Amino acid sequence: MARLDRRTFLELSAAGIGAATATGLPAEAIAAAEASPFKPEKGAQLQLLRWTEFVKGDRTAWEENTKKFTELTGVPVQIQWLNWPDVSPKAALAAQINSGPDLIMGWNSDAYLYPDKLVDVGDLVDYIQKKSGYVYPVARSYCYHDTLKRWISVPIGVPGNAMAYRKDWMEQAGFQSFPTDMDGMLALARAMKKQAHPCGFSLGHAVGDSQGWSHWNLWGHGGRQVNADNSPAIVSAETLSSIEYAQQLFETMIDGVASWGDANNNQAFLAGQISLTMNGISIWYVAKAQYPKLFPVTYNALPPLGPIKQRTQFSTFTHAYIWKYSKYPNAAKEYLRFMLDREQAGKWVTDMIGYITPAYRGFSKLPVWTSDPNVTPYRDVLDGARFDGWPGVPGRAAAQATDQFVLIDMYADVCINKMAPRAAMQKAENRLTQIYKSA
Amino acid sequence: MPAVLILGGLLAYPLFLGVWLSLTNTVLGSPGQFVGFQNYIDLISDPTYRGAAMFSIAYTFFAEIGKVSLGLILALIVNQKFAGYRIARAMMLMPYVAPTVLSALAWLWLFDPQFSAISWLLMKIHLIHAPINFVGSPTHAQISVIVVNIWRGLPYFAIGYLAGLQGINKDLLEAAAIDGASAWQSFWRITWPLLLPVTTILVSFSAIFTLTDFQLIWTITRGGPTDATQVFTTLAYQRAITGGSLGQGAAVAISPIIFMIFFAWFVVRSVREERATA
């Protein structure tokens, strides 16, 4: 495939030859690249480290878009795909030795761990926001450093969490629609369990799944792990309510959830062993592609509201940061601009049927979100989404509390270890005190 | 001189760097300041660390007992000459030569609460009615990871013991048999005492590796449920790498060195004794 660098493009344009025709690239993409303020350095080449895809469409679209970028700019991009929990350790290594990939697609508080090492990407974020809408507040929390007063990472989005459930079993249990509040969902889970269809939520050290539902539960009841000043605040009546809710929900779960990693609920659902779980769209996506009998009864819904009657979502948030040690920061910015441009990102999101919900509000208008009612809940997962450690200060302590599974361990202590709720809550508070003191 | 440089570069430098980091409050990406023993003082009052230390020791202790006893039994079996004994000896090495992370993944599947092949088999032959919850409770998880460690380390012991058994002078055993000693008496009075030096070395080396085991536990439980299978290494990784507190993580990683020095001293002493008696 012939490459078209900027110089060639100008020459072709000057000669009146449509570059779009020459490369097969849409004219809009070429025009946007030309108008972009981010000019790749001469001889630039990029290394991107990003997490391995959860759904097939992600990788193919991402690689296709990357190829287009290289055709357009002449900048080769080498992508290193890595199992998603391993990205943060690799990023940590890069920070420590000042060497490695030019840019990384990482998670949650990554950028907050080494903000001084990262390129200011404020100009790029502004540029994307102007074109694709403002970011949801959670994106700003992870990517804008309030103390340094600058953007340290470029928001991308979330593999959002919603409820995946079996519609046939729900109806057999006497429910016509998926409940919109937590009490209703508990009643549904109980009714389905009576019919030998348990639900399943990870109570183990599952990096994504256990965090998703435990935060939803705590926040939905009005609890919080720390206050805005990072002082531990988990001991509260609200937390206690959330523990009681977890206990009741646990009674309706399948055996073994305390050993569940991130893949277990997908496997159990697709094997017809559970009726309800919280997950990304991957269960529905895989059912659509590979389970023709299961697919018509696999449905998704937004997580029900807790007693505080507000949407309180937690999802692992992905964003991209550029290292100061990179010799090609402008090329990296241009790459991200190109990949997050409506044309390319729209295709990316559409091809993976909404696995990633983009952090920019403009993408909520993509037709993919309304292409099936089961995709629509994932469009809205960023409404009310909160960052880890909310409402404290994002950063090392919040990351450690999440990495050390303080919250899910609190629920597991009660459900699995039969610890008294107050004792489990106090234990969590002690752990948080230790973490926030020493981190 | 090259040996000194290699040892210095590969062993001494990382060790001293680790010790130095553990005395600082270094966080990822920025140099820290010297804080003396503060990280260690913090660890003493940290219940998660205390739990990890306790389980690390229990993990090592029970795994070593399992490996010694089963390794010896295995060695005694394959020390016999039976049809296909060479193949049996080669097969015995399988757990040891398979990459740890791959065998850990295989065990992860075997321990799956819903799809375990072990549970499936036992249910098929009507020994159980529901899948076994292998790693779904703290005690189960602790036992399960110890079992995997025993499985993984068994060949090392079996081979070591096999070598030890083959080094025993047959005349001694024959003389005992002529004197009317039973098989158990021969084993207990002759074989076992002669295997003691090799046992000391096997246990000491293995204990060092078991105490610093990471891959098995990280792959199977990530330290869960509720930190029940957290050990020194998993906690150090969590604190230093994913959490970014290098100083604190280094302190966790350096703290088991006391035990390792003890094991190393044990090895050196037993080797010396063996030389003296030789």
Side-chain angles (χ1 to χ4, degrees):
Chain A
M1 182 73 71
R3 281 179 185 162
L4 183 73
D5 60 21
R6 200 170 299 278
R7 184 177 295 276
T8 316
F9 168 77
L10 289 173
E11 284 167 6
L12 286 169
S13 302
I17 301 167
T21 316
T23 65
L25 285 166
E28 296 83 6
I30 297 171
E34 197 44 43
S36 166
F38 311 107
K39 310 294 180 197
E41 296 81 357
K42 201 174 174 198
Q45 44 187 309
L46 294 173
Q47 277 189 36
L48 163 72
L49 173 70
R50 65 152 287 186
W51 37 270
T52 305
E53 76 281 5
F54 297 86
V55 293
K56 200 177 161 217
D58 170 8
R59 188 168 185 144
T60 45
W62 189 271
E63 285 181 336
E64 235 172 78
N65 285 339
T66 299
K67 202 172 151 196
K68 283 183 196 164
F69 169 77
T70 303
E71 284 170 20
L72 193 63
T73 61
V75 177
V77 183
Q78 191 192 343
I79 307 174
Q80 188 189 352
W81 300 84
L82 201 64
N83 188 25
W84 75 279
D86 297 332
V87 172
S88 301
K90 276 265 189 180
L93 182 67
Q96 196 59 17
I97 62 173
N98 281 316
S99 176
D102 298 276
L103 67 164
I104 291 182
M105 256 169 89
W107 297 103
N108 293 359
S109 302
D110 275 5
Y112 258 84
L113 297 183
Y114 19 75
D116 296 330
K117 305 258 173 182
L118 304 175
V119 170
D120 183 344
V121 288
D123 48 359
L124 175 57
V125 177
D126 287 346
Y127 188 90
I128 302 170
Q129 287 194 115
K130 269 179 202 152
K131 290 191 80 174
S132 299
Y134 285 102
V135 293
Y136 293 88
V138 68
R140 188 182 164 87
S141 305
Y142 281 125
C143 301
Y144 182 82
H145 201 290
D146 274 325
T147 313
L148 297 176
K149 304 263 179 255
R150 64 180 174 88
W151 287 88
I152 50 177
S153 192
V154 181
I156 294 180
V158 293
N161 282 320
M163 296 297 177
Y165 64 97
R166 285 284 297 264
K167 187 164 187 269
D168 50 343
W169 291 343
M170 180 186 79
E171 286 170 354
Q172 281 166 26
F175 287 73
Q176 292 315 306
S177 60
F178 194 81
T180 53
D181 61 35
M182 284 190 180
D183 285 342
M185 196 191 89
L186 182 61
L188 168 65
R190 282 176 171 156
M192 291 197 291
K193 168 82 174 182
K194 263 190 191 163
Q195 301 196 341
H197 300 310
C199 65
F201 295 83
S202 173
L203 272 164
H205 286 184
V207 184
D209 288 343
S210 63
Q211 307 289 4
W213 86 270
S214 59
H215 281 84
W216 160 75
N217 183 27
L218 178 77
W219 290 338
H221 282 88
R224 53 180 63 184
Q225 68 181 39
V226 291
N227 293 312
D229 62 356
N230 271 358
S231 57
I234 201 154
V235 173
S236 69
E238 290 81 7
T239 303
L240 212 52
S241 305
S242 79
I243 292 176
E244 282 161 9
Y245 186 81
Q247 270 180 306
Q248 291 165 340
L249 194 60
F250 177 66
E251 286 165 13
T252 70
M253 291 187 202
I254 195 168
D255 284 344
V257 288
S259 63
W260 274 14
D262 285 292
N264 289 78
N265 64 338
N266 296 52
Q267 291 159 358
F269 192 99
L270 293 169
Q273 298 205 349
I274 55 168
S275 52
L276 164 68
T277 190
M278 183 188 262
N279 205 63
I281 203 170
S282 52
I283 288 178
W284 183 86
Y285 184 100
V286 174
K288 184 177 162 75
Q290 297 170 29
Y291 294 78
K293 281 187 187 162
L294 188 68
F295 179 62
V297 289
T298 301
Y299 274 66
N300 298 319
L302 274 171
L305 302 182
I308 65 162
K309 304 285 175 209
Q310 282 175 28
R311 205 153 286 294
T312 54
Q313 296 269 109
F314 178 84
S315 297
T316 41
F317 188 90
T318 186
H319 46 93
Y321 37 93
I322 303 167
W323 296 92
K324 279 185 182 168
Y325 63 68
S326 168
K327 286 191 282 182
Y328 312 113
N330 290 334
K333 280 186 182 177
E334 174 59 9
Y335 176 62
L336 289 174
R337 186 217 50 86
F338 180 82
M339 297 299 278
L340 295 174
D341 205 15
R342 268 177 302 184
E343 185 89 28
Q344 286 69 244
K347 176 184 165 42
W348 179 50
V349 173
T350 303
D351 280 10
M352 55 182 165
I353 322 181
Y355 185 78
I356 293 286
T357 308
Y360 306 86
R361 290 175 193 272
F363 287 100
S364 65
K365 294 185 181 73
L366 284 175
V368 67
W369 300 120
T370 44
S371 61
D372 187 301
N374 285 302
V375 181
T376 314
Y378 290 91
R379 177 192 63 191
D380 304 326
V381 291
L382 280 163
D383 271 332
R386 294 171 175 177
F387 57 94
D388 60 354
W390 175 92
V393 182
R396 184 165 289 107
Q400 284 199 4
T402 307
D403 286 339
Q404 292 182 31
F405 300 98
V406 174
L407 212 50
I408 198 70
D409 282 356
M410 177 180 75
Y411 294 125
D413 267 331
V414 175
C415 298
I416 308 293
N417 298 342
K418 305 300 171 204
M419 194 183 267
R422 283 184 189 281
M425 192 164 68
Q426 189 58 53
K427 182 183 163 190
E429 174 110 341
N430 295 346
R431 289 182 72 184
L432 289 168
T433 306
Q434 184 97 21
I435 290 167
Y436 276 81
K437 187 184 81 179
S438 59
Chain B
M1 194 60 188
V4 172
L5 283 177
I6 291 168
L7 283 175
L10 295 180
L11 292 175
Y13 173 70
L15 182 64
F16 282 117
L17 182 64
V19 173
W20 167 248
L21 279 174
S22 76
L23 302 174
T24 69
N25 58 3
T26 307
V27 292
L28 268 178
S30 62
Q33 289 172 330
F34 181 76
V35 292
F37 289 98
Q38 192 55 48
N39 287 325
Y40 293 95
I41 294 165
D42 289 345
L43 286 181
I44 292 166
S45 61
D46 178 351
T48 310
Y49 172 77
R50 289 204 304 264
M54 290 294 288
F55 180 62
S56 296
I57 292 163
Y59 178 70
T60 308
F61 179 75
F62 289 112
E64 293 315 308
I65 287 181
K67 283 184 274 195
V68 165
S69 42
L70 295 174
L72 184 55
I73 291 170
L74 201 55
L76 286 168
I77 293 170
V78 295
N79 193 35
Q80 312 294 318
K81 288 195 176 165
F82 52 88
Y85 77 96
R86 285 178 199 279
I87 295 170
R89 285 181 190 178
M91 292 280 287
M92 197 174 73
L93 280 173
M94 287 296 282
Y96 207 58
V97 294
T100 308
V101 75
L102 290 185
S103 48
L105 279 172
W107 279 100
L108 185 66
W109 274 99
L110 289 174
F111 287 156
D112 192 286
Q114 274 77 45
F115 307 103
S116 164
I118 300 170
S119 294
W120 177 84
L121 189 68
L122 294 176
M123 281 162 76
K124 273 275 172 200
I125 55 175
H126 303 292
L127 276 179
I128 55 170
H129 300 294
I132 301 169
N133 195 3
F134 286 105
V135 281
S137 81
T139 316
H140 287 189
Q142 289 172 338
I143 295 170
S144 297
V145 291
I146 289 171
V147 166
V148 179
N149 185 281
I150 292 172
W151 171 86
R152 163 105 174 95
L154 206 52
Y156 173 71
F157 277 77
I159 291 291
Y161 276 132
L162 188 60
L165 285 171
Q166 294 192 343
I168 293 174
N169 190 340
K170 296 275 188 299
D171 294 348
L172 291 171
L173 296 168
E174 279 168 15
I178 290 164
D179 288 346
S182 67
W184 170 250
Q185 282 173 324
S186 287
F187 172 76
W188 189 243
R189 305 259 176 193
I190 299 167
T191 311
W192 178 243
L194 289 172
L195 286 177
L196 270 181
V198 75
T199 303
T200 313
I201 292 172
L202 288 174
V203 169
S204 308
F205 275 113
S206 169
I208 290 170
F209 292 122
T210 307
L211 197 66
T212 53
D213 195 5
F214 175 78
Q215 294 176 75
L216 284 181
I217 291 180
W218 193 251
T219 308
I220 295 171
T221 65
R222 279 187 181 263
T226 59
D227 283 329
T229 57
Q230 201 76 264
V231 289
F232 288 121
T233 49
T234 53
L235 191 65
Y237 181 78
Q238 218 175 44
R239 299 265 163 105
I241 306 301
T242 57
S245 294
L246 283 179
Q248 203 187 73
V252 177
I254 293 295
S255 60
I257 275 188
I258 299 161
F259 300 100
M260 284 190 269
I261 289 173
F262 172 73
F263 291 131
W265 170 79
F266 214 62
V267 175
V268 171
R269 201 192 67 160
S270 62
V271 168
R272 273 190 194 152
E273 276 178 4
E274 203 177 348
R275 273 193 194 153
T277 53

